[in-house]
Amino acid sequence: MAQRQHRFPGVTRHLLREAVIDAAAEVAGRSDWGSLRMGDVAVAVGISRQTLYAEFGSKPALVRAVVLRRTDRLLGALSAVLAGTGGDEQEAVRTCCRFVLNAARDDPMVTCLLTGAESGLLDLVTTDSAPIIDRATAALTGHVLRRRPAADPRRVAVAADALARLLVSHVVLPDRDVDTVAGEIAELVGPYLREVLSTG
């Protein structure tokens, strides 16, 4: 019983954070991310602004938490998509790129991060994008190694990291159509990944 009591505050905090993230997404969905107000989120959850700021510190920190959860969900969906691809590494990379870039271009939150004037939001996908890249690299590396467990983990991670960074770059600067970008990234990363897997 004592152990359960000791763990309860941690569980409660996790549930609070999840409720706040849900509320932030819901409140922003009714207007836009640029006009999201911390006070509105606090009211939606039923907590004070003081409690909200004590947990997240600032609006950019809250938006970061939402971004990272969306990233995790996107990567989960991507894993399901990649599970249906065959053994052609270059085509798998192309499929990955199409899925991620199309999802980003259809997401109003991404649009807000890229076009909003509020300080700190653009950093989440530029100078402060390391958490997104790290998550994507880990997810892509894990996917490849589950299918090819004999492959060199370090070299697979190199390919995954390069792919993640290229995708984030093209999300931030969407200057061409998705199919063209996906094809070019696949031409670059696919052969290296094929070579890595052929020696594994």
Side-chain angles (χ1 to χ4, degrees), residues 53-65:
Y53 276 101
E55 185 61 38
F56 287 93
S58 65
K59 175 180 171 178
L62 173 56
V63 176
R64 180 182 296 108

Side-chain angles (χ1 to χ4, degrees), residues 74 94-107 166-172 174 176-182 185:
L74 174 66
R94 183 180 289 108
T95 298
C96 170
C97 293
R98 283 200 196 103
F99 180 83
V100 172
L101 294 175
N102 279 321
R105 294 188 183 190
D106 291 340
D107 192 331
L166 286 167
L167 284 171
V168 169
S169 174
H170 282 284
V171 166
V172 173
R176 283 166 292 162
D177 67 276
V178 166
D179 284 342
T180 297
V181 172
I185 295 177

Side-chain angles (χ1 to χ4, degrees), residues 2 15 38 40 90 93 97 99 128 133 142-143 171 178 194 199:
L15 293 175
M38 295 290 274
D40 293 338
Q90 190 161 323
V93 172
C97 293
F99 180 83
D128 194 24
I133 292 173
H143 172 79
V171 166
V178 166
R194 182 181 300 116
T199 59

